[in-house]
Amino acid sequence: MKTFAVGAAPHVPAQNSVRRVMGLVLLALVPGVLGHLWFFGPGIVMQIALAVGFALAIEAAMLKLRHRPLRPFLGDLSAPVTAVLFALCIPPLAPWWIAALGMLAAIGLAKHLYGGLGSNLFNPAMVGFAVVLVCFPREFTHWLPPSGLMTNADTPGFVDSLTAIFTGKLPPPWGWDVLAQATPLDTVRELSQRGETIGEIRHDPLFGDFGGRGWEWIANAYAIGGLFLLWKRVITWQTPVAVLGTVIVLSLPLWAYDPDIHPFPLQHVFSGALVLGAFFIAADPVTGCTTPRGRLIFGAGVALLTLVIRRWGAYPDGLAFAVLLMNCAAPWIDMHTRPRLYGEKVR
Amino acid sequence: MYADAPLRLHRFHGGLRLDGRKAESFPAKIHECPLPPVLSLPMHSPRDGKLQACVMAGQRVRAGEVIAVATGLAATLHAPASGEVIAVADAIQLRVAEEFDAEAILRMPPLDLASADKAQLLQRIAQAGVIGLGGAGFPTAEKLGGAHKASLLVINGAECEPWIACDDALLRAHASEVLQGAALLARAIDAPRTLIAIENQMIDAWNAVRDALAGDALPSISIVPVPTVYPTGGERQLVEVLTGKQVPRGGLPGDIGVLVHNAGTAYAVFRALVHGEALTHRIVTVTGPGIARPGNYRVAIGTPVEHLVAQAGGYTDAATRLLLGGPLMGEAQADDRVPIQKQHGCVLALRASDLRSESLALPCIRCGDCARVCPAQLQPQQLLLHWRANDLPRAENEGLFDCIECGACDLACPSGIALTQGFREAKHGIGVQRARVERADASRRRFDARNARLARDAAERAERNAERSKRSASADAVAAAIERAKARRQPPKDEAP
């Protein structure tokens, strides 16, 4: 007779891991980061490095405080994903403490105070972004113009970017007055409030074919990453399709009614963080909806709220707030959108 | 001729594409497993039925003789070999006779199949102790009897779990017998159409069945290649693949006119009806990286796994887990003295490196991959939530009992959460809770009944007392009683002698 240790079925290991999922998300962000790098200079690389560093440090500290094992949770790559998403949302030359505060709010507050990985109600990256955006609006006016739009020089180089991030001062010949420029969404907002038509506003060299010059290319890069995630089945189609589809469906009749006041649907899609949001932020499994119909509703809600905030709100791009608001509703939506079970009669 | 209208196949929700590893189980040949010195035939059935031994210790039995009769959802048990009963307790221990003529088995009297009616066929199948050999172990005659009018009989040859190859081996070796068994099953339920479902990767089995069909000319039977997606072999999933219809929630395939039987069951029915043989042997795959020489064996029911594995060259050094069944739904065994029962089609030995790690699972990230693969169309991530919140009624409402425990969600879960085990525990918890409630209800009913009885008794007593005291309280009654007493005490003077 031979004896054996017993265990519960199924006996064979899972074919997936959180680390793989998060790793694929990071991989899918590479095209977007490269686009960012191309149009806005090396600042993004430093912001990512800073944010990832702070995120891991805060994650480790919180795990320690919560008496959780470090290895499995630091290695799951969820903190770096939060950090990179946050870094992509802030101005590339934002001072270093923006990343520190953002990550403190994201990882420390939004993630770990709610119970860590999987338990957070709100998207950590968006909490971090919203906190710094609301608390330090001045720093968010320091967006750079996409390369090629500069009046007197190229984008700041590596050393100058570093100096700007760590001292808050831009070395000559640049100064914030010379360099900093409003984002396309800021411009649309400001000029349309002054009564200019969309057509007139779009004459500004800041605009490209659909959205902002440069921005629209970065959005394309995000979309490539998003399609990669769909192909790898890391995300499902419902959320991104609902976000982008709703934006187009809602803005199309308005634009058709009066194209002078209401932007072209694709201008909405290719402006701000909408594509990033559709594939990477609204599609976050933890804080989004989990049922298929719930994901459609969640995505549609994010799109609707984003448009509302863009049009009537106090901020040029409402995506972060839209996502956070829908995060509140996600558990309730899930509760009421359970799919039909096998063999169950249609209710 | 056999291929009538081409069948349009459908998809079932979810499922997993798994590495079949069938070649590692060598389904091309069926070896004969010699009888062990002692067979052990457990008295418990895989279903709710009970077995009652009808032999005593010391009694000599012949191969094919009934040794235990069934009540409820269980099937008659027969001696797989001649020998002496040495113990009857939880299991009948049968010492196999040393000189045992394998041909001299007790057969049931021949049945005239041409004239036998449905009831006779069912009775014979029940007498032969045939149960579903696919694993669930439901008595076949019960299943046939429960189907009022099936329009479709499905013979399940889709062996969806990796490594298991007993049906593959059976179909390759005995395709014609399986087909004849299928035809008899179809007759027993008047099913006008029969489909033999074979996974599209089981090429040799497919060819064998096709050749047999060409030879036997059974026009109502066709073979259908079904996609190799786990768990296509699940009854409800197979029904959906073949018909596009789902078995109603809480119902049976018979509700939509379909009856599914395993290929091994069809073979056993053939042996029972045509040869009068009871179900005493089955084909078992002995396989896995923990087995020295994997293969398929014809095994007497009651053979200890230990003996069977020895035929397959024993264990490799790395063998760390022993399973009866496949890697996803198989049951881990603490030792290898357990006997093969009718429902066991596979003995699988795995190495530590094949197993899921017992280490810390990460928290659920609500990715919904489990829901995507769930063939029952559940939302396991939500069930997990309700279960952890101890909200079992909610979990039940959301389909906890619709879980078929296929294990697909566990394999899809990036956090490595043991979902299936959790759901098993939750089901068990609800079962225990329900039993407790039932017990409490029963004792409350008893208590209420007792109180009512006591109250009734007290009321009756009070009434009687009242009656009596009323009688005794009335003056006439007292006077009458005194008169009666006086009359007894003083004999009438006049009549004195």
Side-chain angles (χ1 to χ4, degrees):
Chain A
M1 185 186 83
K2 188 169 159 62
T3 56
F4 299 88
V6 295
H11 306 275
V12 283
Q15 299 166 326
N16 201 359
S17 69
V18 174
R19 190 185 164 85
R20 177 178 167 274
V21 168
M22 298 295 170
L24 286 172
V25 173
L26 287 175
L27 199 61
L29 282 167
V30 167
V33 171
L34 290 178
H36 212 293
L37 188 63
W38 175 267
F39 286 106
F40 296 109
I44 183 64
V45 179
M46 285 163 237
Q47 295 296 349
I48 288 177
L50 279 171
V52 170
F54 285 126
L56 288 174
I58 295 163
E59 176 107 332
M62 291 306 289
L63 287 168
K64 203 97 201 147
L65 285 171
R66 296 176 56 222
H67 307 292
R68 293 292 191 281
L70 288 185
R71 264 261 291 267
F73 287 106
L74 280 181
D76 68 21
L77 299 181
S78 63
V81 167
T82 300
V84 173
L85 289 174
F86 173 84
L88 285 170
C89 295
I90 60 171
L93 296 186
W96 63 271
W97 47 265
I98 287 279
L101 285 173
M103 285 302 100
L104 193 63
I107 307 283
L109 212 72
K111 186 175 181 183
H112 279 285
L113 291 195
Y114 279 82
L117 178 72
S119 298
N120 46 301
L121 187 57
F122 297 102
N123 185 306
M126 290 302 100
V127 170
F129 173 71
V131 166
V132 290
L133 176 65
V134 173
C135 298
F136 307 101
R138 197 176 66 91
E139 273 64 29
F140 278 80
T141 60
H142 291 174
W143 267 99
L144 300 182
S147 69
L149 291 186
M150 226 59 88
T151 40
N152 53 358
D154 256 321
T155 322
F158 188 79
V159 179
D160 292 337
S161 300
L162 213 58
T163 316
I165 290 170
F166 282 99
T167 63
K169 292 191 183 68
L170 266 178
W174 296 296
W176 288 120
D177 303 343
V178 184
L179 191 63
Q181 194 163 2
T183 65
L185 277 173
D186 285 326
T187 312
V188 169
R189 184 180 181 76
E190 212 161 293
L191 296 185
S192 61
Q193 278 169 355
R194 274 193 239 147
E196 288 193 33
T197 65
I198 298 288
E200 287 164 347
I201 297 168
R202 288 182 55 85
H203 280 308
D204 192 306
L206 208 52
F207 293 91
D209 298 325
F210 299 117
R213 193 183 297 279
W215 293 84
E216 59 194 15
W217 285 104
I218 297 173
N220 277 325
Y222 289 142
I224 290 170
L227 293 176
F228 169 76
L229 289 183
L230 279 173
W231 174 56
K232 283 287 174 190
R233 295 185 151 217
V234 171
I235 59 173
T236 54
W237 62 268
Q238 283 94 345
T239 320
V241 165
V243 172
L244 300 177
T246 308
V247 164
I248 290 171
V249 166
L250 288 181
S251 56
L252 195 62
L254 290 174
W255 169 75
Y257 172 68
D258 190 352
D260 283 345
I261 302 176
H262 302 289
F264 183 60
L266 285 180
Q267 185 180 344
H268 267 305
V269 169
F270 283 99
S271 298
L274 205 75
V275 176
L276 177 72
F279 287 102
F280 293 91
I281 296 167
D284 167 31
V286 175
T287 57
C289 280
T290 182
T291 64
R293 273 188 302 153
R295 284 174 170 161
L296 285 173
I297 296 171
F298 184 88
V302 166
L304 173 71
L305 290 172
T306 303
L307 290 185
V308 167
I309 297 171
R310 275 186 186 179
R311 180 69 185 79
W312 291 291
Y315 288 89
D317 193 4
L319 186 102
F321 301 110
V323 167
L324 292 174
L325 285 170
M326 288 309 291
N327 286 163
C328 302
W332 181 83
I333 297 172
D334 276 339
M335 241 165 59
H336 294 281
T337 52
R338 169 169 79 73
R340 193 182 61 85
L341 304 175
Y342 176 100
E344 191 180 31
K345 293 245 167 31
V346 184
R347 283 168 298 172
Chain B
M1 191 171 76
Y2 54 85
D4 42 350
L7 191 77
R8 198 171 73 82
L9 292 183
H10 305 263
R11 284 194 66 245
F12 65 88
H13 181 267
L16 292 171
R17 288 190 184 278
L18 300 172
D19 181 2
R21 296 172 175 275
K22 305 290 188 190
E24 295 173 32
S25 302
F26 301 101
K29 191 173 183 320
I30 299 175
H31 307 271
E32 192 72 27
C33 175
L35 286 164
V38 176
L39 291 167
S40 168
L41 297 123
M43 289 287 95
H44 56 84
S45 107
R47 290 284 166 158
D48 293 334
K50 281 196 171 61
L51 281 165
Q52 179 72 48
C54 54
V55 289
M56 288 180 300
Q59 188 176 337
R60 297 196 63 83
V61 293
R62 268 181 75 186
E65 196 176 323
V66 175
I67 54 173
V69 289
T71 49
L73 285 184
T76 312
L77 202 55
H78 302 74
S82 299
E84 186 191 346
V85 176
I86 50 177
V88 179
D90 293 342
I92 295 175
Q93 306 287 338
L94 179 66
R95 186 186 291 125
V96 176
E98 277 174 24
E99 288 180 12
F100 165 54
D101 179 6
E103 292 305 307
I105 66 167
L106 202 60
R107 290 172 197 271
M108 291 176 278
L111 185 71
D112 182 10
L113 287 175
S115 65
D117 63 10
K118 182 178 166 172
Q120 283 173 307
L121 292 177
L122 292 196
Q123 190 191 15
R124 175 53 61 94
I125 291 169
Q127 280 171 352
V130 180
I131 64 168
L133 297 187
F138 200 90
T140 303
E142 295 274 347
K143 198 168 175 178
L144 291 167
H148 309 296
K149 44 171 198 214
S151 54
L152 176 66
L153 170 68
V154 176
I155 299 300
N156 188 349
E159 230 154 10
C160 44
E161 281 197 69
W163 279 299
I164 304 182
C166 57
D167 292 345
D168 191 359
L170 173 77
L171 287 168
R172 291 191 197 194
H174 301 287
S176 176
E177 290 95 321
V178 170
L179 288 178
Q180 290 178 57
L184 290 165
L185 282 167
R187 248 194 71 193
I189 52 166
D190 295 326
R193 192 163 186 220
T194 301
L195 298 176
I196 315 274
I198 297 176
E199 278 183 0
N200 55 14
Q201 290 178 1
M202 294 161 64
I203 312 269
D204 291 302
W206 165 269
N207 286 334
V209 175
R210 191 198 52 200
D211 293 349
L213 268 177
D216 290 348
L218 298 160
S220 65
I221 303 184
S222 357
I223 38 176
V224 187
V226 293
T228 311
V229 177
Y230 178 79
T232 303
E235 190 171 68
R236 280 151 204 268
Q237 284 62 48
L238 189 57
V239 168
E240 188 171 7
V241 166
L242 295 176
T243 67
K245 286 188 254 177
Q246 295 191 335
V247 179
R249 188 179 180 203
L252 292 169
D255 297 344
I256 52 170
V258 186
L259 208 58
V260 185
H261 284 285
N262 174 260
T265 312
Y267 179 72
V269 164
F270 167 80
R271 301 300 303 184
L273 295 180
V274 176
H275 295 285
E277 285 174 19
L279 175 57
T280 55
H281 288 71
R282 70 158 296 151
I283 294 166
V284 179
T285 304
V286 185
T287 188
I291 298 289
R293 291 197 308 272
N296 290 275
Y297 291 80
R298 182 172 174 271
V299 183
I301 305 302
T303 301
V305 168
E306 187 178 19
H307 178 79
L308 178 55
V309 169
Q311 304 307 312
Y315 302 101
T316 62
D317 293 338
T320 51
R321 183 161 298 176
L322 180 68
L323 303 174
L324 280 176
L328 281 104
M329 298 183 75
E331 215 171 304
Q333 305 297 320
D335 63 62
D336 59 3
R337 283 179 311 178
V338 287
I340 295 293
Q341 289 182 267
K342 290 176 182 176
Q343 72 272 20
H344 295 144
C346 182
V347 172
L348 178 64
L350 295 176
R351 303 161 298 186
S353 57
D354 302 315
L355 301 176
R356 66 185 296 156
S357 76
E358 303 283 331
S359 67
L360 173 103
L362 289 176
C364 173
I365 57 167
R366 301 176 64 68
C367 62
D369 282 359
C370 47
R372 191 160 59 195
V373 302
C374 178
Q377 298 171 219
L378 302 172
Q379 301 283 307
Q381 77 280 24
Q382 297 292 84
L383 288 182
L384 178 80
L385 211 65
H386 303 322
W387 173 54
R388 290 203 169 148
N390 228 344
D391 192 351
L392 291 181
R394 182 112 166 240
E396 191 180 353
N397 186 38
E398 303 231 328
L400 176 64
F401 283 91
D402 296 61
C403 170
I404 57 170
E405 298 178 22
C406 67
C409 50
D410 283 47
L411 262 65
C413 180
S415 296
I417 301 170
L419 291 156
T420 309
Q421 177 59 14
F423 301 149
R424 264 193 294 265
E425 283 171 22
K427 285 180 186 177
H428 179 73
I430 290 179
V432 167
Q433 224 170 43
R434 205 158 275 158
R436 200 179 295 144
V437 168
E438 256 160 46
R439 265 203 311 278
D441 269 355
S443 56
R444 204 194 56 234
R445 276 196 302 275
R446 273 200 308 277
F447 180 69
D448 288 348
R450 179 174 178 272
N451 280 351
R453 180 167 50 79
L454 291 180
R456 205 173 52 238
D457 288 357
E460 279 173 11
R461 217 171 17 247
E463 208 173 300
R464 270 201 310 272
N465 289 346
E467 190 79 12
R468 204 176 297 148
S469 59
K470 203 163 77 201
R471 268 205 312 264
S472 59
S474 80
D476 297 357
V478 173
I482 292 169
E483 281 306 308
R484 276 201 305 278
K486 274 184 185 159
R488 263 202 307 278
R489 221 174 296 143
Q490 298 175 348
K493 283 163 192 162
D494 315 353
E495 290 169 31

